[in-house]
């Protein structure tokens, strides 16, 4: 009799656990059908699963973890903006030197691009990635502010890369011996060429990326 009671108890526990698993599986299938479940893989290849957050955000992170990440981005972007502001203020304070030395102006242009990239990173703390549907349910279409931030980040980060390349080209020009047959370009012409490359080309790339639907 005692063995029979123990077996029945184990059976009831097993049946209860199976019912709980079935109920959770049904709930997950329902959420997946509604587009509120996100399934993916971590960096180590382990499965990740999470619910869509408030305002249409779909992320495997909890709301607290997401805000921690946003806080880290905001603090780092603020420090970057402070650094670029210091560069620009120093250039204005010593503007006579900036007029004389081409390298200082290059650093200033790079600081402008990095400063605006920092501002768009700071704006990302307040931007949701998905636009809620009309009935308040999570939506799949990106919010307008998210698109503006994405295009702005892409443009100014590309401009920063271009200006860094131009700065490296200028250093190479000053360090490497000029070739005997290569004409030496004046710094004034080089500055105009750099402006013609470093502002319009990132705009074309960012605009093309947005037009093709990759933003």
């Amino acid at each position: 009799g005692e063995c029979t009671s123990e077996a029945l108890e184990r059976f009831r526990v097993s049946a209860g656990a199976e019912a709980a698993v079935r109920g959770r599986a049904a709930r997950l299938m329902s959420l997946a059908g509604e587009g509120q479940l996100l399934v993916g893989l971590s960096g180590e290849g382990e499965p990740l699963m999470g619910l869509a957050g408030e305002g249409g955000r779909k992320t495997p992170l909890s709301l607290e973890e997401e805000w921690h990440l946003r806080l880290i981005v905001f603090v780092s972007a603020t420090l970057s903006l402070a650094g670029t502001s210091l560069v620009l203020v120093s250039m204005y304070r010593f503007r006579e030197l900036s007029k004389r030395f081409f390298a200082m102006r290059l650093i200033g242009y790079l600081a402008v691009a990095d400063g605006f990239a920092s501002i768009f990173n700071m704006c990302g703390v307040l931007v949701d990635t998905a636009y809620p549907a009309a009935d308040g349910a999570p939506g799949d279409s990106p919010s307008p502010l998210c698109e503006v931030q994405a295009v702005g980040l892409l443009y100014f980060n590309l401009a920063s890369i271009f200006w860094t390349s131009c700065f490296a080209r200028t250093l190479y020009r000053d360090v490497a011996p000029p070739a005997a047959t290569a004409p030496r370009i004046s710094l004034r012409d080089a500055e105009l060429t750099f402006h013609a490359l470093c502002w319009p080309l990132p705009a074309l790339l960012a605009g093309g990326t947005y037009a093709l639907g990759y933003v």
Side-chain angles (χ1 to χ4, degrees):
E2 183 178 347
C3 294
T4 304
S5 299
E6 184 178 353
L8 288 174
E9 183 64 25
R10 288 182 179 178
F11 177 77
R12 281 196 294 268
V13 172
S14 177
E18 183 179 356
V21 170
R22 288 180 180 273
R24 180 168 177 78
R27 172 62 175 163
L28 292 178
M29 292 180 64
S30 175
L31 290 173
E34 296 172 3
Q36 300 183 40
L37 182 68
L38 180 66
V39 180
L41 295 177
S42 66
E44 292 77 18
E46 298 179 355
L48 291 175
M49 184 177 298
L51 300 179
E54 296 178 0
R57 293 187 305 273
K58 294 182 179 180
T59 169
L61 301 175
S62 67
L63 207 58
E64 183 180 2
E65 291 172 334
E66 183 178 345
W67 275 107
H68 285 166
L69 289 178
R70 292 192 180 206
L71 180 61
I72 293 172
V73 171
F74 184 82
V75 172
S76 60
T78 302
L79 294 175
S80 178
L81 183 60
T84 56
S85 299
L86 180 61
V87 170
L88 296 176
V89 169
S90 300
M91 288 189 61
Y92 178 77
R93 176 67 177 82
F94 303 101
R95 49 189 176 276
E96 292 301 326
L97 292 176
S98 300
K99 294 178 181 178
R100 291 172 52 190
F101 294 102
F102 179 51
M104 290 187 66
R105 296 197 297 276
L106 281 180
I107 294 174
Y109 304 142
L110 177 59
V112 170
D114 287 336
F116 277 102
S118 300
I119 292 174
F120 278 100
N121 269 319
M122 293 169 66
C123 294
V125 177
L126 306 175
V127 173
D128 286 329
T129 56
Y131 192 72
D135 57 357
D140 294 324
S141 59
S143 67
L145 288 179
C146 179
E147 292 181 338
V148 170
Q149 185 214 8
V151 174
L153 277 175
L154 182 59
Y155 172 71
F156 286 109
N157 282 323
L158 284 173
S160 176
I161 294 173
F162 274 68
W163 279 114
T164 303
S165 302
C166 292
F167 187 79
R169 174 66 180 85
T170 303
L171 287 179
Y172 177 80
R173 175 188 180 277
D174 294 337
V175 174
T181 58
R184 193 169 181 83
I185 303 175
S186 67
L187 292 179
R188 179 62 179 172
D189 292 339
E191 186 172 3
L192 294 176
T193 302
F194 291 165
H195 276 293
L197 291 174
C198 295
W199 299 122
L201 276 183
L204 289 176
L205 293 173
T209 303
Y210 178 77
L212 292 174
Y214 290 106
V215 174

